[in-house]
């Protein structure tokens, strides 16, 4: 079983080198590392070329793209990936030494199609995350429960979705990432749901990466979750995803849940009525959800 690590990177040369160093020093290093960089990103291209020269046995490949966006970069990397398993560490993460060894062990079970673990987030002033038992759940009515960053009780368990900074899948089951996903937060969930139709996804709380969130260069809203542009994208992608993957009464219930309830940061109309100060976020999320409905409708028409 061979393993590919796929890392899209834009504007983060120092973070990228730390991630590559951690992969190379791991107890089980990947057989192949693919770094996807933008043609205009000279600093990233220079550091990755230098790193490859100093690590000739790393199996590093560099893919250069001109199209912006994470999904375009990931699809370009997928096109040349050769490993049986493909993992996706973010360029601003530092995988722990036993990370890949722990994930790889789960694939001894042929029913396992994907495995991921905990995202230990390092942000100054961030409170200690809570201890939880539920991780990576999509409820029947469309609520998404993440908790991948939390302290988790118990051992490895099945999950419905994994987090992009710490996920892996059997390469043969990974489709090109869906270009209808427009923002930065839902391509990992969408990919997990697509691969998870074929078997079991495992969340292992001891398979950890340390995550030092870096600025999102050129991404609408950056990391400001209160930016209406990001609220629009998140609501669009959430609605599109539940309309794509849920069926029957669940699809109808999820549609209403996104539009009327939402979340604290992406409030629907009823939730938003309790938070009048967030009217700009509510309006942006509602527009995004309605556009997500239209995107899902057009996508179904195109495949029918």
């Amino acid at each position: 079983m061979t393993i590919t690590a796929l890392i899209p990177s834009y504007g983060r040369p120092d973070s990228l080198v730390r991630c590559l160093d951690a992969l190379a020093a791991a107890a089980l290093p990947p057989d192949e590392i693919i770094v996807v960089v933008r043609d205009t990103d000279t600093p990233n291209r220079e550091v990755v070329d230098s790193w490859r020269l100093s690590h000739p046995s790393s199996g590093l490949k560099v893919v250069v793209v001109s199209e912006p966006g994470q999904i375009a970069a990931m699809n370009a990397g997928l096109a040349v990936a050769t490993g049986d398993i493909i993992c996706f560490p973010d360029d601003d993460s530092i995988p722990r030494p036993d990370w890949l060894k722990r994930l790889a062990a789960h694939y001894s079970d042929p029913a396992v199609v994907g495995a991921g673990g905990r995202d230990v987030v390092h942000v100054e002033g961030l409170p200690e995350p809570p201890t939880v038992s539920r991780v990576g759940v999509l409820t029947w009515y469309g609520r998404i429960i993440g908790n991948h960053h939390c302290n988790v009780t118990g051992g490895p368990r099945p999950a419905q979705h994994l987090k992009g900074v710490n996920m892996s899948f059997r390469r043969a089951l990974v489709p090109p990432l869906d270009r209808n996903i427009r923002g930065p937060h839902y391509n990992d969930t969408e990919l997990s749901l697509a691969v998870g139709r074929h078997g079991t996804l495992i969340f292992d709380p001891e398979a950890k990466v340390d995550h030092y969130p870096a600025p999102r260069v050129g991404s609408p809203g950056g990391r400001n979750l209160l930016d209406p542009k990001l609220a629009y994208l998140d609501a669009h992608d959430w609605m599109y995803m539940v309309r794509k993957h849920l069926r029957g009464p669940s699809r109808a219930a999820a549609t209403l849940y996104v539009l009327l309830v939402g979340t604290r940061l992406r409030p629907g109309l009823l939730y938003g009525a309790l938070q009048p100060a967030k009217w700009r976020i509510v309006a942006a999320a509602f527009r995004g959800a309605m556009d997500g409905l239209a995107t899902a409708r057009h996508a179904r028409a195109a495949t029918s």
Side-chain angles (χ1 to χ4, degrees):
M1 184 175 66
T2 56
I3 302 173
T4 295
L6 172 55
I7 311 171
S9 185
Y10 181 56
R12 300 172 175 176
D14 295 337
S15 296
L16 175 59
V17 169
R18 287 193 292 268
C19 181
L20 292 173
D21 285 344
L23 289 172
L28 177 65
D31 302 277
E32 175 182 69
I33 302 174
I34 298 174
V35 177
V36 187
V37 296
R38 196 88 59 83
D39 55 356
T40 56
D41 189 358
T42 301
N44 254 15
R45 295 182 66 178
E46 289 178 348
V47 300
V48 78
D49 286 341
S50 175
W51 194 90
R52 178 169 52 182
L53 289 175
S54 62
H55 297 77
S57 62
S58 64
L60 177 65
K61 299 178 182 177
V62 181
V63 177
V64 180
V65 295
S66 57
E67 184 179 352
Q70 186 183 49
I71 285 182
M74 292 177 75
N75 283 340
L78 282 171
V80 301
T82 63
D84 301 307
I85 306 300
I86 185 162
C87 62
F88 298 86
D90 281 2
D91 61 355
D92 57 358
S93 72
I94 300 178
R96 295 194 180 179
D98 63 346
W99 171 66
L100 204 48
K101 188 173 183 179
R102 286 183 177 276
L103 294 187
H106 293 292
Y107 290 100
S108 61
D109 181 350
V112 172
V113 297
R118 186 179 168 197
D119 167 31
V120 183
V121 181
H122 298 271
V123 175
E124 186 176 355
L126 192 71
E128 177 69 17
T131 298
V132 301
S133 58
R134 301 179 76 194
V135 181
V137 175
L138 175 64
T139 69
W140 69 271
Y141 56 88
R143 179 188 173 200
I144 296 172
I145 300 171
N147 290 340
H148 301 87
H149 67 291
C150 295
N151 296 304
V152 180
T153 58
R157 81 285 311 276
Q160 290 168 280
H161 64 96
L162 305 170
K163 191 169 183 178
V165 68
N166 190 343
M167 65 182 185
S168 68
F169 304 104
R170 293 191 188 273
R171 174 65 185 92
L173 300 176
V174 177
L177 274 74
D178 192 332
R179 287 178 173 268
N180 287 312
I181 298 292
R182 299 178 182 177
H185 289 145
Y186 284 90
N187 56 62
D188 49 2
T189 305
E190 203 286 323
L191 182 58
S192 295
L193 294 174
V195 176
R197 292 198 300 264
H198 303 284
T200 301
L201 302 180
I202 295 294
F203 174 83
D204 184 343
E206 295 303 317
K208 298 175 182 178
V209 301
D210 291 293
H211 191 188
Y212 299 84
R216 289 193 175 116
V217 181
S219 177
R223 291 193 179 275
N224 178 12
L225 296 177
L226 297 180
D227 190 305
K229 295 188 291 293
L230 197 53
Y232 172 89
L233 293 172
D234 283 352
H236 172 278
D237 293 346
W238 185 11
M239 177 65 82
Y240 170 76
M241 191 170 57
V242 296
R243 296 291 298 182
K244 175 181 177 180
H245 289 283
L246 298 182
R247 298 290 182 268
S250 287
R251 178 188 285 172
T255 301
L256 292 175
Y257 187 81
V258 176
L259 284 172
L260 299 179
V261 182
T263 68
R264 180 177 58 85
L265 290 173
R266 300 293 172 256
L269 294 178
L270 296 179
Y271 202 152
L274 303 176
Q275 306 180 75
K278 291 187 176 181
W279 66 268
R280 293 177 67 235
I281 298 293
V282 176
F286 183 77
R287 289 196 308 273
M290 293 302 294
D291 285 353
L293 271 172
T295 300
R297 195 160 51 243
H298 295 153
R300 285 199 305 274
T303 57
S304 62

